[in-house]
Amino acid sequence: MRLVIARCQVDYAGRLTAHLPMATRLLLVKSDGSVSVHSDDRAYKPLNWMSPPCWLIEDGQLWIVENKQGEKLVISIDEVFHDHGHALGAEPGLQKDGVEAHLQELLAEHIKTLGDGYTLVRREFPTAIGPVDIMARDADGKSVAVEIKRRGEIDGVEQLTRYLELLNRDPLLAPVQGVFAAQIIKPQARTLAEDRGIRCLTLDYDELRGIESDEFRLF
């Protein structure tokens, strides 16, 4: 992991163009090759980034990050205030809580909860930025990536969006659709997901476990 704090301007050229004028920013270079540009007021989301596989070429005060599609992120550095690299070591991965992990297991077991004709490809489908909870195929054989949460919030939608962006670069998988599945999905998260073409699915934990609700029973 390399952290660089620098006064810089950033230009992106690819499917569209974008320009960030000169300002002080954090440049984050990871060992997987990804480069992202951060400000101090956008939480975890970068202003611009290039996902792997991509390559960084440093030519003095000019950084050029290019991927295999020919998209470029050009960073012009005016002044460097901090430049430090540190090896973080192997990532043990996110430890899901018991309910969330069990939801994944149950949904994989009852994959037709997603719809008639769905089949399971595998759980914990690997990507360069972490595993997708479930990879499946719909009745037409198209790939479907499923992100599972106990409580569905905006950060979960953002996580699935990043997975979909990466998976859709693979011609053997594309087009990949997304399903955001949770016991409870907040309205803001549902709105964002649907705006991005991601289907939302509310999961009934007890139903998946094969337990009928006794909420309205007398005995």
Side-chain angles (χ1 to χ4, degrees), residues 175-215:
V176 184
Q177 299 298 315
V179 174
F180 188 53
Q183 288 180 281
I184 300 171
I185 300 178
K186 297 187 71 173
Q188 302 94 324
R190 183 180 295 274
T191 298
L192 179 62
E194 292 175 350
D195 182 67
R196 295 180 176 181
I198 295 171
R199 178 159 69 97
C200 291
L201 177 66
T202 302
L203 298 175
D204 186 319
Y205 183 53
D206 287 341
E207 184 178 314
L208 284 171
R209 293 174 63 197
I211 301 173
E212 295 181 0
S213 173
D214 60 359
E215 183 178 356

Side-chain angles (χ1 to χ4, degrees), residues 126-137:
T127 78
I129 57 174
V132 178
D133 287 335
I134 288 178
M135 181 64 76
R137 293 194 182 277

Side-chain angles (χ1 to χ4, degrees), residues 21-40:
M22 192 69 70
T24 301
R25 301 185 176 94
L26 168 65
L27 308 176
L28 184 62
V29 184
K30 293 186 177 181
S31 59
D32 63 5
S34 64
V35 177
S36 55
V37 182
H38 298 260
S39 67
D40 201 23

